[in-house]
Amino acid sequence: AQKITQTQPGMFVQEKEAVTLDCTYDTSDPSYGLFWYKQPSSGEMIFLIYQGSYDQQNATEGRYSLNFQKARKSANLVISASQLGDSAMYFCAMREGSNTGNQFYFGTGTSLTVIP
Amino acid sequence: GAVVSQHPSWVICKSGTSVKIECRSLDFQATTMFWYRQFPKQSLMLMATSNEGSKATYEQGVEKDKFLINHASLTLSTLTVTSAHPEDSSFYICSARDFTGSYEQYFGPGTRLTVT
């Protein structure tokens, strides 16, 4: 089974609108971390937001928030007030266990296009 | 935030030659580094986990004799693609774990390899 599933290959959003990028995960480990990365056309992976499995509140970082629904095993990324510079690939990732040296599992990504 | 560099950022080589890619943690010590491969419009696929002072652990299907990984110090890991073929053309990304144990792994900017 896939560890991370992103079902939206491509998304479009109007500038200044909010957009939700979906991510579901699969793990039996009670301790895990969920990450979202942005990859612009230049290729670098830019860390956006992190959610720990034991965190009680949804993570937020500026215009990014993570809608963490543990029972549903979903960790959707919400980008508010979209900007043209938000156009990029977005990857959801998971690290199982509490060891920060454990590997990441990446989803297949969502290509976001912000329309002016 | 922590910085990871990769060198070169892009390289073109002839089929049959070898290419070395460096991954450096610039302002922190990295006991563990990861090497990923990414084909166009696809996700990151983990190739191997590199631990300082020991042999790398390769993922299933990755040829260890073709993709030589050396992690000689706490700030440097190298990936050497030996006897490169056109099908080795890809985007190679490294990430490094901060020795102090923060939850993050920090990604390098990637190296684009083209084998002609």
Side-chain angles (χ1 to χ4, degrees):
Chain A
Q2 292 285 343
K3 293 280 189 181
I4 293 287
T5 301
Q6 292 180 255
T7 58
Q8 305 155 314
M11 289 281 288
F12 292 86
V13 64
Q14 203 76 36
E15 192 178 7
K16 300 180 185 175
E17 297 290 312
V19 63
T20 298
L21 307 184
D22 294 342
C23 173
T24 57
Y25 59 93
D26 182 32
T27 182
S28 57
D29 197 318
S31 177
Y32 52 90
L34 297 160
F35 301 76
W36 276 93
Y37 287 88
K38 173 183 178 181
Q39 187 180 42
S41 57
S42 54
E44 75 268 30
M45 296 288 283
I46 302 169
F47 167 74
L48 296 179
I49 197 165
Y50 165 83
Q51 180 85 43
S53 60
Y54 296 118
D55 292 344
Q56 294 295 317
Q57 294 192 331
N58 288 346
T60 60
E61 289 285 349
R63 294 186 299 110
Y64 305 107
S65 60
L66 200 152
N67 184 359
F68 182 43
Q69 298 189 39
K70 198 169 184 177
R72 296 180 60 187
K73 294 190 174 180
S74 74
N76 298 340
L77 175 71
V78 180
I79 305 174
S80 62
S82 297
Q83 303 172 355
L84 295 178
D86 293 335
S87 294
M89 282 292 291
Y90 288 81
F91 291 97
C92 178
M94 177 177 67
R95 184 185 59 227
E96 292 178 308
S98 56
N99 186 339
T100 57
N102 291 346
Q103 70 175 81
F104 276 32
Y105 297 95
F106 284 88
T108 50
T110 295
S111 176
L112 177 67
T113 301
V114 180
I115 304 167
Chain B
V3 178
V4 175
S5 71
Q6 279 184 245
H7 178 80
S9 55
W10 59 271
V11 57
I12 301 173
C13 70
K14 290 185 181 297
S15 189
T17 61
S18 295
V19 175
K20 181 185 285 188
I21 302 170
E22 294 184 347
C23 176
R24 292 182 185 273
S25 55
L26 297 185
D27 51 2
F28 67 98
Q29 292 183 325
T31 52
T32 303
M33 290 184 173
F34 300 89
W35 286 96
Y36 296 87
R37 183 174 183 176
Q38 185 181 30
F39 290 108
K41 300 191 185 301
Q42 294 190 24
S43 187
L44 280 71
M45 299 300 296
L46 180 67
M47 299 174 66
T49 302
S50 166
N51 293 299
E52 187 266 336
S54 63
K55 289 184 179 180
T57 303
Y58 290 82
E59 294 299 301
Q60 193 172 8
V62 177
E63 300 175 59
K64 60 180 68 175
D65 293 331
K66 180 168 186 61
F67 298 100
L68 301 179
I69 292 172
N70 184 282
H71 193 158
S73 77
L74 285 172
T75 59
L76 174 64
S77 176
T78 60
L79 167 67
T80 301
V81 183
T82 62
S83 187
H85 289 128
E87 56 264 32
D88 297 326
S89 298
S90 188
F91 192 59
Y92 293 87
I93 306 176
C94 72
S95 72
R97 172 201 168 194
D98 189 335
F99 180 71
T100 61
S102 67
Y103 60 76
E104 267 199 69
Q105 290 177 15
Y106 301 94
F107 285 83
T111 296
R112 196 165 300 280
L113 170 64
T114 302
V115 184
T116 61

